[in-house]
Amino acid sequence: MIKSILIDDEVHCLNSLSIQLQEYCPGVEVMAKCMSGTKALEAVEKMNPELVFLDIEMPTMNGFEFLEQCKQISFSVIFTTSYDQYAVKAFRISALDYLLKPIDPEELIAAVHKIEEQKSRPLAEQFRSMIEQIQNRNKGITKIGIPTVEGFELIPADQIVYCEANNNYTHLFLRDKSKIVACRCLKEMEEQLLDFKSFLRVHHSYLVNLNEVNKYIRGDGGYLVMADGSTVSVSRGRKDSLMKILEIPD
């Protein structure tokens, strides 16, 4: 059983989530339901949960302030929130899990399954990165969180040359010639990089950083020569959008 604590200032949200967990996620044990950050800090200290469902918008102490007040974040977190484009963007880029209210049962099951599969807890740096992105929302975002088998890596997005699909994993090839194996499929990687306009899906197996493209070679779909000397195939269906962005004449 995964020991969990639910934190939300609205009692109907707490009760609804508790019922959903009981019905759809029997492997999760709800140890406490807290309606304030202060009560939640006491519960975390006393019960040492493995998982916290955390609402963001709460009076007195919001979800981010709660995390900052925790002496040690030794638990996984699934954020629960009403739609906020900046918050959702920050969760996605930092590789942290979130659920939009009202919570969909299938998304709840998927989020809990991710926690069950995790081999390590999120890094404190991920939470700091997420909070900084929200607090400095107009200053731009430079780093993304990459979940790996060992844990997580935070890297500058502009260091990625291209990403290559490998079943349920993605290989990230970096400027310094190193490679990171991300524990997420290329579609998820593409979603995580949505806010970085230089990235484009050019093939079902490839996502490239357009700033790292040195040359386009014509062909059926053609292929790209990247700054590191590697070549990346371009599919026929994605060729036109690539040509338009790069302003290459037909």
Side-chain angles (χ1 to χ4, degrees):
M1 296 285 283
I2 298 175
K3 296 189 229 175
S4 73
I5 287 176
L6 316 186
I7 308 171
D8 199 306
D9 65 307
E10 298 180 83
V11 67
H12 72 275
C13 289
L14 283 174
N15 292 337
S16 175
L17 178 54
S18 180
I19 290 168
Q20 284 183 304
L21 286 169
Q22 187 175 1
E23 183 172 354
Y24 300 109
C25 305
V28 176
E29 177 188 1
V30 177
M31 303 171 67
K33 293 185 281 187
C34 307
M35 294 187 65
S36 71
T38 303
K39 291 292 183 185
L41 286 172
E42 294 173 3
V44 165
E45 185 76 21
K46 182 179 179 182
M47 300 178 181
N48 193 26
E50 299 166 273
L51 172 61
V52 168
F53 288 87
L54 178 61
D55 183 30
I56 297 172
E57 296 157 359
M58 297 186 292
T60 309
M61 183 189 297
N62 66 32
F64 305 134
E65 292 165 337
F66 159 77
L67 288 173
E68 290 174 333
Q69 291 291 320
C70 286
K71 294 178 183 176
Q72 183 181 3
I73 302 175
S74 58
F75 46 82
S76 296
V77 177
I78 296 177
F79 293 92
T80 59
T81 180
S82 300
Y83 182 76
D84 179 301
Q85 60 177 325
Y86 297 105
V88 169
K89 180 190 297 185
F91 298 146
R92 185 172 63 235
I93 289 170
S94 302
L96 292 166
D97 288 309
Y98 66 94
L99 293 167
L100 294 177
K101 296 178 182 178
I103 294 172
D104 178 84
E106 289 187 6
E107 292 180 359
L108 174 62
I109 292 168
V112 169
H113 180 67
K114 274 189 190 177
I115 299 300
E116 290 171 335
E117 294 293 308
Q118 276 181 357
K119 291 189 170 132
S120 62
R121 303 287 181 228
L123 299 173
E125 286 82 357
Q126 282 177 276
F127 294 109
R128 280 198 293 270
S129 172
M130 182 232 358
I131 292 168
E132 285 171 7
Q133 286 159 25
I134 292 173
Q135 291 175 338
N136 303 301
R137 59 183 62 176
N138 296 319
K139 295 185 179 178
I141 303 164
T142 58
K143 286 190 175 183
I144 61 170
I146 308 296
T148 67
V149 173
E150 293 80 20
F152 294 86
E153 291 194 39
L154 286 165
I155 63 168
D158 63 5
Q159 293 302 305
I160 301 171
V161 178
Y162 69 97
C163 306
E164 180 180 14
N166 183 6
N167 296 318
N168 291 325
Y169 295 87
T170 299
H171 292 176
L172 280 66
F173 295 87
L174 308 184
R175 278 183 184 173
D176 63 4
K177 307 291 186 180
S178 64
K179 180 176 79 172
I180 297 175
V181 179
C183 296
R184 56 179 44 190
C185 66
L186 188 61
K187 184 177 184 300
E188 292 174 307
M189 202 71 240
E190 182 181 14
E191 290 173 354
Q192 191 174 3
L193 289 164
L194 276 176
D195 300 296
F196 299 90
K197 303 305 181 186
S198 63
F199 287 89
L200 181 70
R201 186 80 171 264
V202 297
H203 189 278
H204 72 272
S205 294
Y206 295 105
L207 175 69
V208 302
N209 182 350
L210 295 174
N211 291 328
E212 294 295 311
V213 174
N214 274 359
K215 192 184 296 184
Y216 170 71
I217 306 299
R218 295 182 187 276
D220 190 17
Y223 64 91
L224 299 170
V225 179
M226 307 303 292
D228 64 356
S230 58
T231 58
V232 172
S233 297
V234 178
S235 67
R236 281 183 295 176
R238 299 177 187 269
K239 177 180 175 181
D240 288 345
S241 59
L242 172 68
M243 304 278 274
K244 185 176 180 180
I245 291 173
L246 295 181
E247 299 182 345
I248 299 173
D250 291 331

